[in-house]
């Protein structure tokens, strides 16, 4: 039978040029998605055919050669009216009710849940690479309907005409894309096969690819997914998963975590990175929607703290965004994210209980991620206490080991403060933990909830001073003039001076500061620059907070020599130099007053040294 009416041009119900610009520059990240649209339409057509004829043949064949890409399926097909209404209209879909379907509403609704497509964009999206699209289709719903040709070009027009019955004897659809100028690379056989494997390896129907060179068509699909395949031993499964990870992500995983949530329609696996990574790094996870690759960069699939894994999974419940290139962040995704996070925590708990060696190997690389989890989970912190490493005044060890030696635990908020105080604290039995690293301060604040017998406080000047050995009263009385001079010189810096004997002997002076002392200095500085009203308010806020302390080491020979200087002015300059050196060793930011003091002390010592040299030269000349 031949066409009974001439081929009449019709216009799309959309500005096609504007649509292509929208799709290629705003909705889709790359023209590569056209292969996904072709596969998606073919798979959905097969699904619809099976709802009508469960025993129908399944065939999807993709080919590419000479700047053309062809996909043929044995799916539901279309009539001429359906081609008019469905192929050229945004928002319409053969997967919705109507369109001449013989399916009853209940069966159609059940089948609709299996479709990949959501938005009815369909073949029009292929114009991101195509100059022309030709569709030859025959409907399985109406056995008497003739085959139909739908021919569209990127100038915004299309034609529909009926063909002889022998043009396509069986139901199904063939789509042929002709690449437009500048897009030939996307129609190259190697590129089409690569994209088809990337998008369609987990699709439920067998798909083959033909490169047009005469060989046997090659399979594209590779099901079941590797995490669902049976293996003779756990080790064999672990090796297979490691190979899968290396192929997908380019690394051999430290370990694997099964992500199986049947109620949520999620199956997959998380691969543990073999190298440490920054907590700020948001890993891209690979997500398939009903077998079709949705995205390789899903950054909202797992909790932020799970930055040490890369996941790949298949789901039939999560919603895609309009571009079908990411997940829509809704309540369902939030619930799945929490459940996947619970799986990762459960894996850690299982390792802690049954395989401490694997846990230790994991924590050696990713302790930061576990600390991030534990700061919101006291149970996990209690579980991880024997394993999480901390930098302490007794060396690197777990909190459990440190708590066995110290029931009073002090911590510093900066690495610099810890490194200044650590050797002195170790020599005098003071338990100090460096909380200057990410998450450590949060974990220490949570520690008393896990171990109520422990007392955790921020290190202050008084706690350190109390642990240092006092100087005999007679010696301190003998040095009273020196201490009075030192306190007078450092009074403008809001710093007290105390004399103690401590180790190591090589440290002449120790600058001790704490939050209360800093707050008091800030209040004093604000008071000096405030008007009369604020001066009254700030003066009323004066507290009894201790000031910073310069602790002079009586065991140090330099301190004894300075204390014995007969020149009070020189003694004061030496004390200011000790203060500046101790302040620099603590690596705290210098205030303008501190910088001024350092310059004055340095120049004062230079002046004293040069005057001493001049005096000696004069004495030599007199001789």
């Amino acid at each position: 039978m031949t066409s009974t009416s001439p081929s009449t041009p019709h216009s799309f119900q959309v500005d096609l040029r504007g649509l292509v610009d929208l799709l290629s520059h705003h909705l889709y990240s790359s023209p590569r998605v056209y292969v996904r649209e072709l596969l998606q339409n073919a798979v959905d057509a097969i699904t619809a055919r099976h709802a009508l004829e469960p025993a129908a043949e399944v065939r999807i064949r993709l080919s590419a050669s000479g700047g053309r890409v062809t996909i043929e399926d044995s799916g539901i097909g279309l009539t001429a009216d359906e081609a008019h209404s469905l192929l050229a209209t945004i928002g319409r879909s053969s997967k919705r009710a109507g369109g001449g379907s013989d399916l009853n509403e209940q069966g159609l609704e059940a089948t609709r849940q299996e479709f990949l497509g959501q938005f009815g964009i369909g073949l029009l999206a292929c114009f991101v690479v195509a100059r022309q699209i030709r569709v030859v289709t025959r409907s399985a719903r109406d056995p008497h309907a003739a085959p139909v040709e739908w021919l569209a070009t990127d100038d915004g027009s299309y034609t529909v005409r009926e063909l002889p019955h022998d043009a396509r004897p069986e139901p199904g659809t063939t789509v042929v894309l002709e690449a437009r100028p500048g897009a030939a690379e996307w129609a190259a056989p190697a590129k089409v096969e690569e994209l088809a494997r990337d998008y369609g390896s987990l699709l439920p129907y067998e798909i083959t690819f033909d490169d047009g060179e005469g060989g046997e068509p090659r399979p594209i699909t590779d099901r079941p997914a590797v995490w669902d395949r049976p293996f003779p031993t756990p080790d064999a499964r672990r090796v297979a998963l490691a190979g899968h990870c290396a192929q997908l992500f380019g690394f051999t995983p430290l370990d694997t975590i099964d992500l199986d949530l049947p109620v949520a329609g999620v199956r997959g696996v998380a691969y543990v990175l073999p190298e440490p990574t920054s907590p700020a790094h948001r890993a891209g996870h690979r997500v398939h929607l009903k077998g079709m690759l949705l995205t390789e960069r899903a950054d909202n699939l797992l909790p932020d703290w799970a930055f040490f894994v890369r996941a790949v999974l298949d789901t039939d419940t999560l919603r895609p965004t309009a571009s079908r290139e990411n997940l829509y962040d809704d309540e369902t995704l939030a619930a799945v994210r929490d459940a996947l996070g619970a799986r990762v925590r459960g894996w850690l708990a299982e390792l802690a209980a049954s395989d401490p060696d694997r846990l230790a190997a994991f924590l050696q690389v990713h302790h930061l991620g576990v600390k991030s989890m534990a700061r919101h989970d006291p149970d996990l912190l209690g579980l991880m206490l024997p394993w999480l490493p901390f930098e302490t005044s007794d060396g690197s060890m777990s909190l459990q080991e440190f708590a066995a030696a110290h029931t009073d635990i002090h911590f510093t908020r900066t690495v610099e403060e810890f490194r200044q105080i650590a050797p002195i604290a170790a020599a005098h039995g003071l338990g100090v933990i460096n909380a200057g690293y990410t998450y450590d301060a949060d974990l220490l604040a949570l520690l008393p909830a896990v171990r109520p017998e422990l007392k955790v406080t921020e290190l202050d000047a008084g706690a350190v001073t109390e642990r240092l050995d006092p100087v005999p009263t007679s010696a301190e009385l003998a040095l009273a003039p020196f201490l009075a001079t030192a306190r007078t010189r450092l009074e403008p810096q809001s710093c007290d001076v105390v004399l103690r004997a401590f180790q190591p002997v090589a440290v002449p002076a120790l600058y001790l500061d704490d939050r209360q002392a800093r707050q008091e200095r800030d209040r004093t500085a604000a008071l000096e620059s405030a008007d009369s009203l604020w001066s009254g308010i700030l003066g009323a806020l004066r507290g009894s907070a201790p000031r910073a302390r310069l602790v002079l080491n009586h065991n140090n020979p330099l301190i004894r020599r300075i204390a014995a200087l007969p020149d009070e002015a020189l003694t004061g300059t030496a004390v200011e130099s000790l203060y500046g050196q101790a302040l620099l060793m603590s690596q705290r930011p210098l205030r303008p007053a501190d910088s001024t003091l350092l310059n004055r002390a340095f120049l004062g010592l230079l002046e004293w040294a040069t005057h001493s040299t001049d005096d000696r030269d004069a004495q030599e000349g007199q001789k």
Side-chain angles (χ1 to χ4, degrees):
M1 174 178 171
T2 59
S3 175
T4 58
S5 61
S7 177
T8 304
H10 304 272
S11 293
F12 283 104
Q13 299 175 41
V14 68
D15 178 359
L16 185 58
R17 293 186 185 277
L19 173 66
V20 171
D21 180 72
L22 173 67
L23 295 179
S24 60
H25 294 98
H26 302 285
L27 187 61
Y28 294 138
S29 62
S30 166
R32 70 199 304 268
V33 297
Y34 88 91
V35 173
R36 182 193 65 193
E37 296 295 339
L38 292 176
L39 293 175
Q40 175 177 292
N41 285 338
V43 168
D44 286 345
I46 294 288
T47 301
R49 176 81 180 274
H50 270 202
L52 184 67
E53 303 175 37
E57 174 192 15
V58 173
R59 184 182 70 257
I60 301 176
R61 181 168 179 172
L62 181 67
S63 61
S65 64
R68 292 184 176 180
V69 178
T70 303
I71 187 166
E72 180 184 3
D73 67 69
S74 57
I76 193 69
L78 299 172
T79 64
D81 290 341
E82 289 170 344
H84 271 297
S85 63
L86 301 175
L87 292 183
T89 304
I90 294 297
R92 293 281 189 87
S93 172
S94 61
K95 300 176 271 289
R96 301 175 186 229
S101 172
D102 293 330
L103 297 174
N104 61 54
E105 279 299 314
Q106 183 178 359
L108 181 64
E109 181 61 31
T111 304
R112 192 181 298 143
Q113 302 300 319
E114 301 301 319
F115 290 131
L116 299 171
Q118 299 285 326
F119 299 97
I121 293 175
L123 284 177
L124 296 188
C126 295
F127 276 115
V128 296
V129 299
R131 181 187 67 82
Q132 175 181 281
I133 302 176
R134 181 173 183 261
V135 178
V136 177
T137 181
R138 183 165 189 168
S139 175
R141 296 189 183 108
D142 184 357
H144 302 293
V148 175
E149 179 194 68
W150 180 89
L151 183 65
T153 59
D154 62 359
D155 65 359
S157 65
Y158 72 95
T159 62
V160 177
R161 66 188 180 102
E162 292 186 349
L163 300 176
H165 281 278
D166 58 1
R168 186 175 182 94
E170 299 295 329
T173 300
T174 300
V175 180
V176 181
L177 306 184
E178 184 176 328
R180 58 186 173 82
E185 61 175 303
W186 297 104
K191 173 61 72 174
V192 174
E193 182 177 10
E194 175 193 344
L195 294 176
R197 291 184 187 281
D198 203 31
Y199 280 114
S201 62
L202 298 185
L203 287 172
Y205 306 123
E206 182 178 354
I207 301 171
T208 60
F209 177 78
D210 185 355
D211 60 9
E213 296 185 359
E216 286 293 320
R218 295 183 287 272
I220 293 297
T221 48
D222 185 22
R223 291 185 62 89
V226 64
W227 54 82
D228 283 331
R229 296 174 190 171
F231 292 96
T233 65
D235 285 343
R237 183 174 188 270
R238 190 175 296 116
V239 170
L241 288 173
H244 179 249
C245 177
Q247 181 181 4
L248 283 185
F249 298 126
F251 66 85
T252 300
L254 191 65
D255 212 333
T256 59
I257 308 170
D258 283 316
L259 303 177
D260 182 11
L261 302 174
V263 174
V266 172
R267 286 281 297 161
V269 64
Y271 296 115
V272 180
L273 294 168
E275 301 291 339
T277 186
S278 167
H281 175 68
R282 295 178 67 85
H285 306 292
R286 188 178 176 95
V287 179
H288 296 257
L289 180 62
K290 300 172 185 174
M292 180 74 76
L293 177 67
L294 184 70
T295 179
E296 298 175 290
R297 299 183 296 275
D299 58 4
N300 55 356
L301 180 65
L302 291 176
D304 289 343
W305 52 255
F307 55 82
F308 51 85
V309 300
R310 295 283 299 276
V312 53
L313 56 81
D314 190 18
T315 175
D316 56 15
T317 58
L318 300 178
R319 289 176 56 197
T321 58
S323 67
R324 294 196 288 279
E325 293 187 296
N326 212 334
L327 294 171
Y328 188 77
D329 211 335
D330 56 9
E331 292 181 358
T332 301
L333 178 57
V336 168
R337 183 164 50 236
D338 290 343
L340 293 177
R343 285 300 171 94
V344 177
R345 286 195 298 269
W347 168 77
L348 279 172
E350 183 180 349
L351 284 188
S354 61
D355 201 338
D357 290 339
R358 281 172 65 198
L359 178 63
F362 165 75
L363 289 176
Q364 187 175 3
V365 178
H366 294 298
H367 59 273
L368 202 58
V370 179
K371 286 182 177 182
S372 177
M373 282 189 287
R375 64 198 175 112
H376 300 300
D377 189 339
D379 292 337
L380 181 62
L381 176 59
L383 182 68
M384 292 290 108
L385 277 180
W387 307 101
L388 291 177
F390 285 80
E391 186 177 8
T392 79
S393 52
D394 294 346
S396 180
M397 61 180 60
S398 70
L399 280 180
Q400 181 162 296
E401 292 173 310
F402 191 71
H406 304 277
T407 55
D408 286 346
I409 296 177
H410 302 272
F411 66 91
T412 64
R413 291 190 177 272
T414 66
V415 175
E416 294 77 16
E417 186 179 4
F418 173 80
R419 290 178 179 168
Q420 182 199 21
I421 201 66
I424 297 169
H428 293 270
L430 185 65
V432 181
I433 292 178
N434 181 4
Y437 296 121
T438 306
Y439 308 132
D440 284 3
D442 294 335
L443 291 180
L444 290 171
L446 192 61
L447 187 57
V450 179
R451 297 283 297 273
E453 74 278 9
L454 298 178
K455 180 182 178 183
V456 180
T457 56
E458 185 174 354
L459 184 69
D460 59 53
V464 178
T465 306
E466 288 173 4
R467 287 300 185 103
L468 304 181
D469 296 332
V471 176
T473 304
S474 57
E476 189 161 4
L477 287 174
L479 296 176
F482 162 67
L483 294 174
T485 299
R487 287 165 183 154
T488 300
R489 278 302 185 100
L490 297 185
E491 176 62 29
Q493 311 306 124
S494 298
C495 181
D496 290 334
V497 178
V498 295
L499 187 66
R500 292 290 187 271
F502 56 87
Q503 300 295 327
V505 174
V507 177
L510 176 66
Y511 180 83
L512 296 177
D513 200 1
D514 54 38
R515 184 182 299 177
Q516 290 178 317
R518 289 191 290 271
Q519 290 174 344
E520 181 66 16
R521 280 204 309 275
D522 291 341
R523 188 200 61 78
T524 302
L527 180 62
E528 292 173 354
S529 60
D531 57 27
S532 57
L533 175 60
W534 279 109
S535 295
I537 295 174
L538 292 171
L541 295 177
R542 180 186 299 275
S544 58
R547 303 198 299 173
R549 298 182 185 183
L550 182 68
V551 183
L552 302 178
N553 188 359
H554 189 252
N555 291 337
N556 183 271
L558 177 61
I559 296 297
R560 296 186 181 186
R561 288 198 295 270
I562 293 174
L565 290 174
D567 186 337
E568 183 177 334
L570 179 57
T571 300
T573 300
V575 168
E576 289 180 339
S577 299
L578 288 172
Y579 171 85
Q581 187 267 348
L583 193 61
L584 292 173
M585 290 297 294
S586 71
Q587 300 188 39
R588 290 174 172 82
L590 296 180
R591 298 170 297 162
D594 295 328
S595 299
T596 300
L597 178 143
L598 280 171
N599 290 332
R600 183 174 65 245
F602 177 72
L603 294 174
L605 289 177
L606 283 179
E607 185 176 357
W608 176 82
T610 54
H611 283 181
S612 298
T613 302
D614 291 342
D615 290 343
R616 286 195 297 270
D617 291 343
Q619 291 175 2
E620 289 294 332
Q622 291 175 359
K623 293 180 181 180

